[in-house]
Amino acid sequence: MAVFVLRRLGTMAITMFAVSVLVFLLLEISPGSVATKVLGPYSTDEQRTLWLEAHGYFQPLWVRYGNWLWNFVNGDFGDSLRFKVPVSEILWPRLANTAILGLVTFAVMIPVSLVLGVAAGMREGSRLDRAISVTSIVTTSVPEFASAVFLSAVFVFWLKWLPGTSGMAEGFSFKELILPVLVLVIYDMGYVARMTRASMADVMTTPYIRTAVLKGLPYGRVIVRHALRNALIAPFTVIMLQINWLLSGVIVVEFFFAYKGFGALLLEASLNQDIFVIEACAMVAVFVAVATQTIADVGYAFLNPKIRFG
Amino acid sequence: MNQRLPSAPARDSAFRRAVRRVALLRESPVGMIGAGIVLFWVLVAVLAPLIAPFEPNATYHPYARPGAGHVGGGTFWLGADMIGRDILSRIIWGTRTVLVYAPLATFSAYVLGILMGLAAGYKRGWVDEVLSRLGDVLLSFPVLVLYIIVIATVGASGVNIVIAITVAGAPGVMRIVRGLTLEIGSRDFVAAARLRGEPAWYIMAVEILPNARGPLIVDACLRLGYVTITIGVLGFLGLGLPPPDADWGSMINQARGVAMAFPHMTVFPCIAISSLVLGFNLLADGLREISLRD
């Protein structure tokens, strides 16, 4: 087990290293364009050269990458060109806001999708199963921005129950969180429900479930004590991998509802060529994604006795 | 139809076999509905010049509500946008945009993914190791993050969007093809071809790939739906095709500021894109159902 965990951590480190090279090359391969972004399109060649000189851009590429990585690991992401403050000052609060959004989304999405998936997979082919399956196809077909538009047309424009933006200008407001969370839950729920259904349906056909039913155990007990234990291993991985999807989803949702989160920051930075913010956001996003994948793998191995004792 | 003859239809032309495969879809109502929706949008795209009531880029009556009449004749059935362009006509013309770029991007992701997957699954060894690791790195990016930084760096244009989707989509295709190749490559007919002395490209293209088509077709259908969403999302985020040509995602982006007062500007393009994606997904579900049956 320890070897397995160490190997997964090693893979994670290698992936992060490769990603950092990719991000660095993509954004900083040409020093000229970096200087143009930093100093603006109306700067003179002389100014750009001076800036490049002062910031060590005339060193070889690999030295620049080494310095860049060193600063990054030490939490120095450079300054935001737009806000004129260190990137870390704006990044962490934004990340905290997105964490709130993500946690509430998961707190709603996981129970709902697990219950739906188990209910559908319990009796494969039943009317309930078909209804849940078709519904989950429909909800995953509607892109996040479209369900955001539909939900705000109903709840904001027509019924006037909820605010249309979630800027949290007057402090934290639960009401402003409802629509963004709903949009994310609707989109992600279908997939997790389908995976849970498949896993549950799989378990229901195994001999030990048939034995449990045939020896006369109450059906509810067969489901809760026997089936769920094995059926919920696969969804655990799916849910962890869902965090990767959520990182894409929050960009759309935060942009739509003007929520001051990490996704909106990345998008604004990209649209404004705020290069050091883009780099920091990209690395943080990938770190979160890779870390959750690693946790998913290790967790799967830990939960699955076939691997744990294997 | 029910009493199929037991003799093997070995001498049928490829075309007839294809027709029979499509006819199989009739057994899945869900798949039929999906195929119907997709066909509807394809027809809309083909017939756009005939059925669009107005010029898609001409400006008429700003903020017209749905159903409002035009002074020069005609009706804005779905209303007009902030600068007076007819929304129905823009949705109709926008169908062309999405039905050109989504299949194009999906297709090129497939070409790259199949090449990588065949190479990794057939050659194995270090080729497999390198390609798989590369794929893992690309797949570890949250997709939209990758799109945003790439497109914000190289600029938004049709070609760049197709390239970005290809690069981000190919590793996923590669994983599937690699798995299928590993499985099919261990079968006897591949060993036989190898003993005959066939070159590697022949075995990959003629022996392995045709036998992997079932799962690939289902996946391609799902991917088409997903790429449609991606193109919509990029347009919605302001990273889509440059204006003024109609593109569903960009229509929503442009009307975002006034959407709370004039929801018709955003709701109808959203219905269009959701229904098209639903069509692809239902079709994929129907195809999977059928392929599991036999």
Side-chain angles (χ1 to χ4, degrees):
Chain A
M1 193 71 196
V3 177
F4 176 76
V5 174
L6 280 178
R7 194 182 302 151
R8 285 298 308 153
L9 285 176
T11 314
M12 180 175 158
I14 294 170
T15 310
M16 282 310 295
F17 174 72
V19 165
S20 72
V21 172
L22 217 64
V23 169
F24 179 78
L25 287 180
L26 198 63
L27 289 156
E28 301 220 8
I29 187 141
S30 104
S33 72
V34 176
T36 315
K37 280 172 196 161
V38 173
L39 299 173
Y42 301 113
S43 52
T44 63
D45 276 347
E46 202 188 351
Q47 287 170 317
R48 286 177 205 169
T49 316
L50 279 173
W51 186 86
L52 288 174
E53 182 97 63
H55 290 83
Y57 273 86
F58 289 114
Q59 286 163 308
L61 195 64
W62 62 273
V63 176
R64 274 171 52 206
Y65 171 74
N67 289 336
W68 180 84
L69 192 65
W70 177 250
N71 288 337
F72 229 98
V73 173
N74 287 308
D76 174 13
F77 307 136
D79 286 356
S80 162
L81 306 177
R82 199 155 147 256
F83 301 105
K84 311 287 178 209
V85 290
V87 173
S88 46
E89 248 174 58
I90 35 182
L91 183 64
W92 301 125
R94 292 289 196 114
L95 207 57
N97 283 346
T98 297
I100 296 174
L101 183 60
L103 282 177
V104 178
T105 301
F106 267 54
V108 179
M109 191 259 292
I110 294 175
V112 173
S113 55
L114 287 186
V115 167
L116 286 179
V118 167
M122 232 160 61
R123 289 200 177 85
E124 211 184 345
S126 65
R127 193 174 292 172
L128 181 71
D129 175 28
R130 294 215 57 87
I132 291 175
S133 297
V134 171
T135 312
S136 73
I137 296 182
V138 175
T139 57
T140 35
S141 297
V142 180
E144 283 114 342
F145 64 83
S147 49
V149 163
F150 296 147
L151 289 175
S152 14
V154 173
F155 292 106
V156 182
F157 176 75
W158 188 42
L159 296 173
K160 297 188 169 48
W161 284 356
L162 294 169
T165 57
S166 312
M168 310 269 172
E170 286 124 34
F172 183 78
S173 146
F174 184 69
K175 232 178 161 180
E176 294 186 7
L177 209 57
I178 295 176
L179 280 181
V181 166
L182 208 54
V183 169
L184 289 170
V185 168
I186 287 176
Y187 189 72
D188 286 338
M189 188 182 70
Y191 188 68
V192 179
R194 279 172 80 102
M195 289 298 145
T196 312
R197 174 194 171 276
S199 169
M200 187 70 188
D202 222 32
V203 168
M204 291 308 283
T205 60
T206 54
Y208 72 87
I209 292 294
R210 198 175 51 183
T211 310
V213 174
L214 288 181
K215 78 179 180 191
L217 285 182
Y219 198 65
R221 206 178 142 125
V222 174
I223 298 292
V224 176
R225 296 283 301 268
H226 296 249
L228 280 185
R229 279 195 178 185
N230 279 304
L232 292 184
I233 295 175
F236 166 78
T237 316
V238 175
I239 289 169
M240 289 309 285
L241 295 182
Q242 210 63 15
I243 292 176
N244 199 331
W245 286 100
L246 198 68
L247 281 170
S248 292
V250 291
I251 298 178
V252 173
V253 166
E254 290 177 357
F255 177 60
F256 189 94
F257 292 106
Y259 185 79
K260 293 214 171 311
F262 167 79
L265 180 68
L266 171 63
L267 182 69
E268 287 160 25
S270 299
L271 293 174
N272 293 300
Q273 303 283 336
D274 198 345
I275 174 169
F276 303 119
V277 178
I278 305 179
E279 288 172 0
C281 286
M283 291 300 288
V284 167
V286 177
F287 177 77
V288 172
V290 175
T292 49
Q293 278 161 30
T294 308
I295 296 173
D297 281 358
V298 173
Y300 181 77
F302 187 73
L303 286 177
N304 193 342
K306 281 183 216 149
I307 297 182
R308 203 189 330 155
F309 299 118
Chain B
M1 217 33 215
N2 285 331
Q3 14 178 297
R4 243 178 247 140
L5 294 176
S7 67
R11 294 275 156 244
D12 265 8
S13 71
F15 176 73
R16 282 187 123 187
R17 263 179 291 158
V19 168
R20 190 137 11 120
R21 287 215 159 255
V22 174
L24 265 181
L25 195 59
R26 275 193 304 203
E27 287 172 26
S28 155
V30 169
M32 283 302 285
I33 297 173
I37 298 175
V38 173
L39 199 65
F40 166 77
W41 283 113
V42 171
L43 282 177
V44 168
V46 172
L47 300 176
L50 299 176
I51 54 178
F54 293 92
E55 283 291 312
N57 291 335
T59 52
Y60 301 97
H61 184 9
Y63 298 100
R65 296 279 183 186
H70 177 47
V71 215
T75 310
F76 299 110
W77 291 112
L78 303 183
D81 65 8
M82 314 73 65
I83 58 172
R85 296 175 296 192
D86 178 45
I87 288 178
L88 177 60
S89 304
R90 284 180 75 69
I91 288 180
I92 291 174
W93 280 92
T95 316
R96 286 197 165 187
T97 314
V98 67
L99 283 182
V100 165
Y101 283 105
L104 193 66
T106 311
F107 179 74
S108 58
Y110 253 84
V111 172
L112 187 62
I114 284 178
L115 289 177
M116 289 164 67
L118 282 175
Y122 187 73
K123 297 271 181 193
R124 309 195 197 171
W126 67 269
V127 179
D128 183 20
E129 196 64 28
V130 169
L131 287 175
S132 295
R133 289 286 153 270
L134 192 69
D136 287 347
V137 169
L138 284 174
L139 283 176
S140 65
F141 269 98
V143 261
L144 200 48
V145 174
L146 186 62
Y147 290 138
I148 288 177
I149 57 174
V150 168
I151 290 178
T153 310
V154 297
S157 74
V159 179
N160 288 345
I161 290 174
V162 170
I163 293 176
I165 293 178
T166 304
V167 172
V173 180
M174 185 193 87
R175 260 193 197 177
I176 300 173
V177 176
R178 178 183 171 273
L180 289 167
T181 307
L182 282 175
E183 191 212 319
I184 298 170
S186 63
R187 302 239 188 105
D188 286 344
F189 60 84
V190 175
R194 212 174 286 161
L195 285 176
R196 282 203 308 272
E198 304 285 7
W201 67 264
Y202 176 90
I203 294 174
M204 287 189 240
V206 180
E207 304 284 352
I208 295 178
L209 194 55
N211 284 298
R213 68 180 183 279
L216 287 184
I217 292 172
V218 174
D219 178 72
C221 223
L222 282 177
R223 217 166 271 274
L224 260 177
Y226 186 65
V227 169
T228 306
I229 293 185
T230 304
I231 292 176
V233 166
L234 288 176
F236 165 72
L237 295 178
L239 294 164
L241 300 165
D245 279 341
D247 158 34
W248 295 344
S250 308
M251 288 173 73
I252 301 158
N253 175 276
Q254 287 153 15
R256 220 169 42 91
V258 293
M260 292 307 161
F262 301 92
H264 69 267
M265 294 182 197
T266 50
V267 166
F268 295 118
C270 282
I271 293 177
I273 193 166
S274 306
S275 69
L276 179 60
V277 177
L278 182 64
F280 284 131
N281 285 348
L282 291 179
L283 186 58
D285 202 60
L287 289 173
R288 180 174 27 220
E289 206 177 300
I290 289 164
S291 68
L292 283 181
R293 207 172 289 167
D294 44 47

Coordinates of all heavy atoms in Angstrom, one line a residue, chain A residues 1 33 46 68 104 141 155 162 281 288 290 297:
Chain A
M1 N 0.8 -1.2 0.0 CA 0.0 0.0 0.0 C 0.9 1.3 0.0 O 0.6 2.2 -0.8 CB -0.9 0.0 1.2 CG -2.0 1.0 1.2 SD -3.3 0.6 0.0 CE -4.1 2.2 -0.1
S33 N 6.9 39.2 -26.3 CA 5.4 39.4 -26.1 C 5.1 39.5 -24.6 O 4.1 40.2 -24.3 CB 4.7 38.2 -26.7 OG 4.9 37.0 -26.0
E46 N 12.9 50.4 -26.6 CA 13.9 50.6 -25.6 C 13.4 50.2 -24.2 O 14.1 49.6 -23.4 CB 14.3 52.1 -25.6 CG 15.6 52.4 -25.0 CD 15.9 53.9 -24.9 OE1 15.1 54.6 -25.5 OE2 16.9 54.2 -24.3
W68 N 11.7 30.7 -12.6 CA 10.2 30.8 -12.6 C 9.6 29.8 -11.7 O 8.8 30.1 -10.8 CB 9.7 30.6 -14.0 CG 8.3 30.7 -14.2 CD1 7.5 31.8 -14.4 CD2 7.4 29.6 -14.4 NE1 6.2 31.5 -14.6 CE2 6.1 30.1 -14.6 CE3 7.5 28.2 -14.3 CZ2 4.9 29.3 -14.7 CZ3 6.4 27.4 -14.4 CH2 5.1 28.0 -14.7
V104 N -20.6 23.5 -1.5 CA -22.1 23.5 -1.4 C -22.6 22.7 -2.5 O -23.5 21.9 -2.4 CB -22.6 24.9 -1.4 CG1 -24.2 24.9 -1.4 CG2 -22.1 25.7 -0.3
S141 N -27.2 17.1 -21.2 CA -27.2 17.7 -22.5 C -27.3 19.2 -22.5 O -27.0 19.9 -23.4 CB -28.3 17.1 -23.3 OG -28.2 15.8 -23.5
F155 N -36.6 32.1 -12.5 CA -36.6 32.6 -11.1 C -36.2 34.1 -11.0 O -36.5 34.7 -9.9 CB -35.6 31.8 -10.3 CG -36.1 30.4 -10.2 CD1 -35.5 29.3 -10.9 CD2 -37.1 30.1 -9.3 CE1 -35.9 28.0 -10.7 CE2 -37.6 28.8 -9.1 CZ -37.0 27.7 -9.9
L162 N -35.3 35.3 -7.0 CA -33.9 35.2 -6.7 C -33.1 36.3 -7.4 O -33.6 36.8 -8.5 CB -33.3 33.9 -7.1 CG -33.8 32.7 -6.3 CD1 -33.4 31.4 -7.0 CD2 -33.4 32.7 -4.9
C281 N -3.2 30.9 -12.0 CA -4.5 30.2 -12.0 C -4.4 28.9 -12.7 O -5.0 27.9 -12.2 CB -5.5 31.0 -12.8 SG -6.1 32.5 -11.8
V288 N -5.1 21.2 -8.3 CA -6.3 20.7 -7.7 C -6.7 19.5 -8.5 O -7.1 18.4 -7.9 CB -7.4 21.8 -7.7 CG1 -8.7 21.2 -7.3 CG2 -7.0 22.9 -6.8
V290 N -5.0 17.4 -10.4 CA -4.1 16.2 -10.3 C -4.2 15.6 -8.9 O -4.2 14.4 -8.7 CB -2.6 16.6 -10.6 CG1 -1.7 15.5 -10.4 CG2 -2.5 17.0 -12.1
D297 N -7.4 7.7 -6.8 CA -6.8 6.4 -7.0 C -6.4 5.7 -5.7 O -6.7 4.6 -5.5 CB -5.5 6.6 -7.8 CG -5.7 6.8 -9.3 OD1 -6.9 6.8 -9.7 OD2 -4.8 7.1 -10.1

